[in-house]
Amino acid sequence: MSGMGGGERFHALDAVRGGVLILGVFFHGILSFLPGTQVWLVMDSARSVELSVLFFTLHIFRMTVFFVLAGFFGRLLLERLGVGGFVLNRAKRIAQPLAMFWPIVLTAFIATLIWAAVQANGGVAPEGPPPPPLTAETFPFLHLWFLYVLLIFYVVALVVRAFVHLIDRRGVLRARLVDPVVRLLSGWAAPVLLAIPAAAALYFTPGWMLWFGIPTPDTGIVPNSTSMVIYGFAFGFGWLLNRQPELLQGWGERWGAYVGPAIGATIGCLMMTSLTPVFTASAQDFTMATQDLRTLGYAALYAFACWAWTIAIIGFAVRHLSGHSPARRYLADASYWIYIVHLPILIALQTLIAPYPGPWFVKYPAMLVVAFIIMLASYQWLVRYSWIGAILNGKREKPVRQAKSGQQLAAAE
């Protein structure tokens, strides 16, 4: 991707985009350690309030950051390739992986789920009702939902772009109205102004479970409207932000000013709900939204925390991670594969360690270490230089072959 100053990559944004995908492993790994009732397929013998707080915090910003960057890079790619090239590229990088890996991931997910149930039932398959029929409402995208939602956003972006170009052929409206609004939204008051759509969407969500924040659109052909409004706004803002990428330098200069408010808003949300997930009907005041001032205040605080974290994280990267780093670049490349395959691997490891005694601060890191060894090894040996890697990240030659090509070129010259 072309950089802000010329031909350089956006190294900082690459690092953040890969980082938030990798954080998905940490996020889903926590599920078996959450205190309280059965909230996940496998529940560990060790539970942790500390991990519960981390889970809550990660969910506030992780996918909002991702969709801001997805919009930013989406427009950058469109400007570089044109509409036809953009459509072909997104079909190969997004639609094809979704079509290829969703059946494999779902099969692995079901197989691991059955195995976990058998293990928990003393080696005997438990009896239970059959799974619900596969319908448009129950279609399980699992953790690959973000690919499906991205495709929707790309289609909407192309349609809106065509309409705007039709009514604003010379770009006057964009230059005199859209760009100044984006500059305003990106300024010092950004976390407040950008939070307004998210706060409204959360407040008007029927039966909103406050502790779990933005509802995940992982089920159903038609994603839930709340997540589409919040993530769609983030995607659209990132798309328009790409028209003026120099605005990111302002975030880089001010990132530290948003860290304290982000932490404070997160603590405030936890104080208004609970340090741990709340599901029971007796805690209805904390669990189900009742469209009152308390709910409005919580929605506003949660949305503010979401955007304060987003700006602080992207700004920090712009300020401190703009240089090239082979390690960060490698992890950014590997993050797509890691996110696709991580969930069945985590469930299998959670099932293996769940019965054994031990504190969470030993079991959780150990599980992550083993998971990352498996995922990084599979990426290096099976994906990086293979046809799978060519689909996910583009074709890449092995270093030895690159060195030989360079020697041959030098000899020819």
Side-chain angles (χ1 to χ4, degrees), residues 170-406:
R170 297 184 179 182
V172 176
L173 180 63
R174 280 162 283 172
R176 295 185 179 180
L177 178 61
V178 175
D179 290 347
V181 168
V182 172
R183 287 196 293 271
L184 173 66
L185 294 177
S186 305
W188 276 98
V192 175
L193 298 177
L194 294 171
I196 293 173
L202 292 172
Y203 177 71
F204 288 108
T205 299
W208 177 35
M209 300 181 69
L210 275 65
W211 196 89
F212 288 94
I214 302 171
T216 303
D218 54 357
T219 303
I221 299 298
V222 179
N224 70 73
S225 58
T226 301
S227 64
M228 294 301 284
V229 168
I230 295 174
Y231 294 142
F233 178 79
F235 179 91
F237 179 74
W239 186 281
L240 295 177
L241 191 62
N242 180 255
R243 288 177 52 85
Q244 307 171 84
E246 66 277 2
L247 295 176
L248 292 174
Q249 298 292 353
W251 288 10
E253 295 170 0
R254 301 189 300 268
W255 73 269
Y258 299 117
V259 174
I263 295 174
T266 302
I267 293 173
C269 287
L270 288 168
M271 292 176 64
M272 292 180 70
T273 52
S274 171
L275 296 178
T276 61
V278 181
F279 293 95
T280 58
S282 60
Q284 186 173 358
D285 289 341
F286 297 110
T287 308
M288 306 303 290
T290 53
Q291 293 189 4
D292 53 16
L293 290 178
R294 180 184 180 86
T295 303
L296 178 61
Y298 182 86
L301 196 61
Y302 191 96
F304 173 84
C306 172
W307 278 101
W309 279 118
T310 297
I311 296 169
I313 290 168
I314 295 177
F316 172 84
V318 169
R319 183 66 180 270
H320 298 289
L321 304 179
S322 292
H324 173 66
S325 166
R328 289 198 300 268
R329 175 68 188 277
Y330 183 90
L331 289 176
D333 291 342
S335 63
Y336 197 177
W337 169 256
I338 287 173
Y339 194 81
I340 287 173
V341 302
H342 80 278
L343 197 56
I345 294 172
L346 281 182
I347 297 174
L349 294 174
Q350 288 168 339
T351 302
L352 287 173
I353 69 172
Y356 295 99
W360 68 266
F361 52 82
V362 173
K363 300 176 76 174
Y364 176 67
M367 178 188 67
L368 290 180
V369 168
V370 174
F372 275 108
I373 289 174
I374 294 172
M375 293 183 293
L376 287 172
S378 64
Y379 172 73
Q380 177 64 31
W381 295 333
L382 303 177
V383 175
R384 186 168 176 79
Y385 304 107
S386 72
W387 61 272
I388 300 176
I391 292 174
L392 298 180
N393 298 313
K395 188 176 181 180
R396 179 179 283 104
E397 291 187 353
K398 292 185 178 181
V400 175
R401 189 175 301 173
Q402 289 177 341
K404 288 182 178 179
S405 298

Side-chain angles (χ1 to χ4, degrees), residues 88-207:
L88 290 175
N89 181 277
R90 296 297 83 187
K92 182 177 181 180
R93 297 282 189 267
I94 304 298
Q96 188 174 353
L98 177 60
M100 284 174 49
F101 292 112
W102 176 81
I104 299 172
V105 168
L106 181 63
T107 301
F109 180 84
I110 294 174
T112 310
L113 173 61
I114 294 173
W115 176 63
V118 170
Q119 292 293 109
N121 199 45
V124 180
E127 296 182 1
L134 192 63
T135 65
E137 290 75 23
T138 63
F139 193 89
F141 283 104
L142 301 177
H143 61 296
L144 300 185
W145 63 266
F146 77 106
L147 297 176
Y148 179 66
V149 169
L150 267 180
L151 293 174
I152 296 175
F153 289 164
Y154 289 140
V155 171
V156 173
L158 291 177
V159 171
V160 172
R161 178 181 180 272
F163 177 74
V164 170
H165 279 241
L166 183 64
I167 64 173
D168 185 32
R169 296 180 182 275
R170 297 184 179 182
V172 176
L173 180 63
R174 280 162 283 172
R176 295 185 179 180
L177 178 61
V178 175
D179 290 347
V181 168
V182 172
R183 287 196 293 271
L184 173 66
L185 294 177
S186 305
W188 276 98
V192 175
L193 298 177
L194 294 171
I196 293 173
L202 292 172
Y203 177 71
F204 288 108
T205 299

